[in-house]
Every structure is written in C-alpha cells, then in structure tokens.
Amino acid sequence: MTPFWPPEVTSAANSQKIVLGFESSCDETGVALCTTDGRILGQALYSQIAMHKDYGGVVPELASRDHIRRLIPLMNETFEQAGIALQDVDAIAVTTGPGLPGALMAGCAFAYSLAMGLNLPVIPVHHLEGHLLSPLLSSNPPAFPFTALLVSGGHTQLMGVEGLGRYTLLGETLDDAAGEAFDKTAKMIGLPYPGGPALSRLAESGNAERFKLPRPMLHSGDFMFSFSGLKTAVLTTAMKLAGVSQPNETMAISDTDKTDLAASFQAAIVETLVKKALAACLQQDHKRLVVAGGVGANKLLREQLVKAARKRGVEVYFPELSLCTDNGAMIAFAGAMQLAKNPALLDARDYGMRTRPRCELATPMEI
C-alpha cells in the first residue's frame, strides 16, 4: 500500500519518526508502533470479552485491573513483531479520553511513566479521533474534506472534517448511541454478551419487514439521533410476543420471533444512520463519507450505505474490519499524524497526566 498523507503535511515534516501508541479506554488493550509516513510496524490487541461475559457487560474495576496486567506483554509483543527496540521510539501517544475513568488512568499512567523514563514527549489522543482517522490506514484512504459517521460504543455522531484537527460536530444522539441500543436490545431478547455482534448475526436470517418499528427523528430536519424510543418499541413488542404485562428476564419468545425482531430492529437503526449520514454529507457538499467505530463493521450498514451513496455521487470509506474495534494502531497513527504536522511536539516534555473521561472531539486535547 502507498501510505496516505494529508495535503497539509509537508515532506519536510514527514521524517520517519516512530510513535508508540496505547489504547485502554474501555475493554480492549491495544498497543502499536506507527511511523510518521503512516506505516504500522507492529501491533497487539487483547479483548476482555471473556472476562466480562459472566456479568453481561463491562465491569469498570475489572477492566482497569486487566489493562495493567496486559500492557507490558502486549508492548513486548509489538516490539518483537516490529523488529525494533524501545530506544528507537521518538514519541508516545495515548488515549486520554473519552472512556472509563479507571481504564484511561491505567493506560495513561503507564504511558506517561514510560515517556518520563525515556525522556520522550507524550501526544494525547482523543479516542474518537483515532476511530475517525482509522480509514486512512486502509488500502483506499479518503482525502480531506469529508463527512464522518462515528458509531463507536457509547457514541453516535456526525462530524464535518476539513483536515487534521479541524472537526465540526453536526449532530449526535440525544440518548442511547447506536452501539448501546444494539447491546441493550440484544440482552433484552436473550442474546449472549457481547450482544451487538450476536444480534447482527441473528438478524441476517430474519424478516426485517415483519415488525413495524419506529425510526426516531428520521424526519427531524437536523442531524440528531435518538434510539431509546426504538429500544422501548422492541421491549413492548417482545412483551406482547411473550404474553406478559411486565418486562422480566425470562420473557419467552420463539426463535423465529427473536430472529425477525432482531432483523426489524437492525433495519430501523441502519435506515436512520444511512439517511442522516448522507443528508449531512450533501449538506456539507462533501463527496466523501467516512464511517468508523464498532458499528461500522455491521454488514447491513455497509451494504446499504454504499448502495444509497452511489445514487447520490458519494463515495463511502470504511476502516479495515480489524480496525473497527478499539485498537492501538489507530491511536499510534493519530499520534503520528499530529507529530508529522507539528514536529515541534518532539520538544514537549509535559508529564502532568490529564485524563478526560468525557470530552468532545471538537475540543483539542491538551498537550
């Protein structure tokens, strides 16, 4: 692949520096090495799904402790894969927000301590910026400007992207994010953790037209989302199918009902995301739409977006499937892009660690 680089980064700034990146915002521990010409030298990732499965969701304290346990082995694996030494690193990038407070603290404490010991600069990275830029690592990267649909975990946002660090929030969810709605709905109808992927797989064989579920705010005239009402509609439908008047954990519905309900729910989510994203893209007069985050791996969303976008002369870009989940590569890459654009970051030596569990992408991360 020919490394992609945004137009504003000059060849003088692009001087082959190496950035070590850490991601620990939730339940994946990721480490990667990336050069300032956009090459991933090595990466390692550990998912905590098996650990949280018995609890039906992420337990923050367990997640934080596990990040501490995994960081050094994953870092060693990354360096072995890359074939370089720790002394070859020029800067360290780390997710400082948003995310679970304890999980962010685990990754940042390690990254800042390592940087101080090696006398290296730290580049704070916004978790969503990592997702937003991850399609630039694909074999067919987009060029700026573009509209971005970020559907990652607890976030559903539409962003106008003019260049690196130049982001405008166009719209976001008022309540549940799409990913949260997938997970909560899956749990509601008795699917195992992690629910979102399980629901998507089940929906592939269902009748998406059987249940008439709402598309909240589809015609609101703006780029805002709302998915809590859709989730409630699924619950009401499931109660009717089970013949109960109150929700409970043992609502019994047939496999066919469960499959069709999953398909109908997914169709409602996808239609809303597709129409809102393309409306934002056209309103911004952008011919490129970037989709990133965990829900960006959804097969139906990819198919419907590409089909609808083609009719409107818009090209859609997705990250590689391996980069849809939280990972260290996207953080190392985001840090490398910042460094390539601003080589003066190499001189920064601020080790006053600051995590930001809640922070907007349009707000610059503090260096």
Side-chain angles (χ1 to χ4, degrees):
M1 128 181 192
T2 300
F4 167 82
W5 214 252
E8 66 263 30
V9 176
T10 65
S11 57
N14 189 11
S15 55
Q16 292 285 341
K17 301 300 182 182
I18 297 176
V19 176
L20 172 62
F22 295 101
E23 157 61 27
S24 68
S25 63
C26 189
D27 59 343
E28 273 98 15
T29 314
V31 182
L33 287 159
C34 182
T35 64
T36 48
D37 66 350
R39 291 180 296 116
I40 300 299
L41 302 179
Q43 60 178 310
L45 181 68
Y46 182 84
S47 173
Q48 300 175 358
I49 286 177
M51 182 178 68
H52 297 295
K53 188 173 183 179
D54 291 341
Y55 304 94
V58 177
V59 181
E61 177 65 20
L62 294 180
S64 304
R65 290 176 180 270
D66 200 63
H67 287 308
I68 296 171
R69 185 181 302 116
R70 306 291 175 182
L71 280 164
I72 292 179
L74 289 173
M75 184 178 71
N76 291 339
E77 180 182 341
T78 300
F79 276 100
E80 183 177 351
Q81 187 183 128
I84 64 173
L86 192 58
Q87 289 72 23
D88 296 319
V89 172
D90 297 292
I92 293 177
V94 61
T95 302
T96 56
L100 299 176
L104 291 170
M105 286 287 290
C108 285
F110 181 79
Y112 274 81
S113 298
L114 183 64
M116 183 182 294
L118 296 172
N119 191 31
L120 294 176
V122 178
I123 303 175
V125 175
H126 194 291
H127 178 75
L128 292 182
E129 183 173 38
H131 277 299
L132 184 150
L133 298 175
S134 62
L136 276 63
L137 286 168
S138 68
S139 58
N140 179 35
F144 296 126
F146 54 76
T147 298
L149 172 63
L150 297 176
V151 275
S152 167
H155 300 87
T156 297
Q157 297 180 334
L158 281 164
M159 306 289 299
V161 180
E162 297 301 317
L164 180 62
R166 295 157 57 195
Y167 315 127
T168 302
L169 179 65
L170 305 176
E172 61 184 340
T173 183
L174 298 174
D175 37 61
D176 285 346
E180 289 176 321
F182 264 97
D183 290 338
K184 292 177 181 178
T185 298
K187 187 174 183 179
M188 193 187 304
I189 62 176
L191 297 180
Y193 175 85
L199 188 149
S200 296
R201 288 191 296 270
L202 183 65
E204 290 182 11
S205 56
N207 178 5
E209 298 182 358
R210 179 180 170 193
F211 299 107
K212 305 303 179 183
L213 298 177
R215 275 67 169 160
M217 300 190 72
L218 185 61
H219 305 291
S220 62
D222 55 27
F223 305 124
M224 304 300 287
F225 299 91
S226 173
F227 296 112
S228 63
L230 173 60
K231 183 184 63 180
T232 301
V234 173
L235 175 61
T236 302
T237 303
M239 289 168 56
K240 289 181 179 178
L241 292 170
V244 298
S245 58
Q246 295 293 329
N248 59 72
E249 295 183 358
T250 58
M251 289 190 297
I253 62 176
S254 70
D255 289 342
T256 299
D257 289 341
K258 188 179 295 186
T259 301
D260 291 345
L261 192 53
S264 299
F265 166 82
Q266 179 177 251
I269 289 269
V270 167
E271 181 181 351
T272 303
L273 292 175
V274 168
K275 290 188 175 180
K276 290 267 187 176
L278 287 175
C281 200
L282 296 176
Q283 191 261 3
Q284 293 290 299
D285 196 27
H286 289 162
K287 296 300 182 182
R288 290 173 290 273
L289 174 65
V290 162
V291 183
V295 182
N298 183 276
K299 183 178 178 181
L300 183 65
L301 176 61
R302 288 185 171 227
E303 292 174 350
Q304 294 296 321
L305 260 179
V306 170
K307 181 180 178 180
R310 186 178 295 121
K311 295 178 180 179
R312 294 164 176 78
V314 173
E315 188 168 2
V316 187
Y317 298 84
F318 301 94
E320 306 295 339
L321 287 175
S322 63
L323 296 179
C324 286
T325 186
D326 295 348
N327 62 87
M330 69 182 191
I331 303 304
F333 179 64
M337 288 190 72
Q338 290 189 43
L339 182 57
K341 185 179 180 181
N342 182 14
L345 292 177
L346 284 173
D347 299 323
R349 294 295 186 275
D350 182 0
Y351 301 120
M353 186 181 74
R354 294 175 289 275
T355 60
R356 299 171 64 182
R358 298 180 64 87
C359 55
E360 298 294 336
L361 177 55
T363 303
M365 303 302 283
E366 295 180 5
I367 304 296

